[in-house]
Amino acid sequence: MEALELQKALSLEKRMYALLNEAFDISKQLAEAIERGDQVTIRILLSMRREPLESLRRIRRALEEQRDALAPAQARQLAELLNGAAAAGKEEERLAEQVAVNGRLLRQLVELDRILNRKLGGEKSLYHKSLDTSPTG
């Protein structure tokens, strides 16, 4: 894959990292507000969290568009790298490393979101699992 394409993807992945950090920081503040029972701050932070999450979606779309514009072999190679595959050569290492870092941070953010959702939503939480498996429950 060309160095320019790798650099473009790396730049997007670095931007993604910054946005994941921003969302994670806001989520930590949200956890603190939930613990305090501060409803005004909770609403503000929930609203603030939307922006980095929307920006993350736009970056993901940009990466998909970049992949789709490549020749099939290069597109497959980029897709594999973006999905966490190991670098095939020295020139791909920085991208593979950034993707791995982003993946770890994303998993942490998802876990924090799961906790926050349970605290905020209780039984209405997206993550709530009913223990009642009877036909009427």
Side-chain angles (χ1 to χ4, degrees):
M1 184 178 327
E2 292 183 26
L4 180 63
E5 293 300 331
L6 289 170
Q7 186 57 42
K8 183 177 174 184
L10 178 60
S11 175
L12 288 168
E13 286 288 334
K14 284 182 177 183
R15 177 72 181 125
M16 187 180 292
Y17 176 76
L19 290 164
L20 286 167
N21 267 319
E22 182 180 346
F24 193 78
D25 288 343
I26 293 170
S27 295
K28 287 192 300 189
Q29 293 175 42
L30 180 58
E32 293 168 3
I34 291 169
E35 291 299 318
R36 292 190 313 267
D38 185 344
Q39 295 301 313
V40 173
T41 303
I42 290 170
R43 282 193 292 271
I44 291 169
L45 291 169
L46 284 171
S47 178
M48 287 174 59
R49 215 168 67 135
R50 285 187 196 121
E51 185 179 326
L53 296 178
E54 284 300 317
S55 294
L56 284 166
R57 285 186 193 99
R58 285 192 295 274
I59 288 175
R60 178 50 78 186
R61 275 195 302 271
L63 286 165
E64 290 168 357
E65 289 170 5
Q66 179 187 359
R67 179 204 60 213
D68 293 345
L70 295 172
Q74 290 181 329
R76 186 176 54 255
Q77 183 181 11
L78 180 59
E80 288 171 357
L81 282 168
L82 295 176
N83 286 319
K90 185 93 172 142
E91 63 280 352
E92 296 175 355
E93 285 179 5
R94 289 177 52 210
L95 177 58
E97 289 169 4
Q98 188 65 56
V99 168
V101 168
N102 289 358
R104 286 189 296 273
L105 185 53
L106 178 60
R107 285 188 293 280
Q108 291 174 350
L109 180 58
V110 168
E111 184 56 34
L112 180 55
D113 183 66
R114 184 182 324 264
I115 292 166
L116 295 175
N117 197 294
R118 285 182 185 147
K119 286 182 179 183
L120 282 173
E123 290 193 18
K124 293 181 182 179
S125 166
L126 294 172
Y127 300 103
H128 180 74
K129 292 184 179 180
S130 174
L131 297 178
D132 182 5
T133 56
S134 67
T136 59

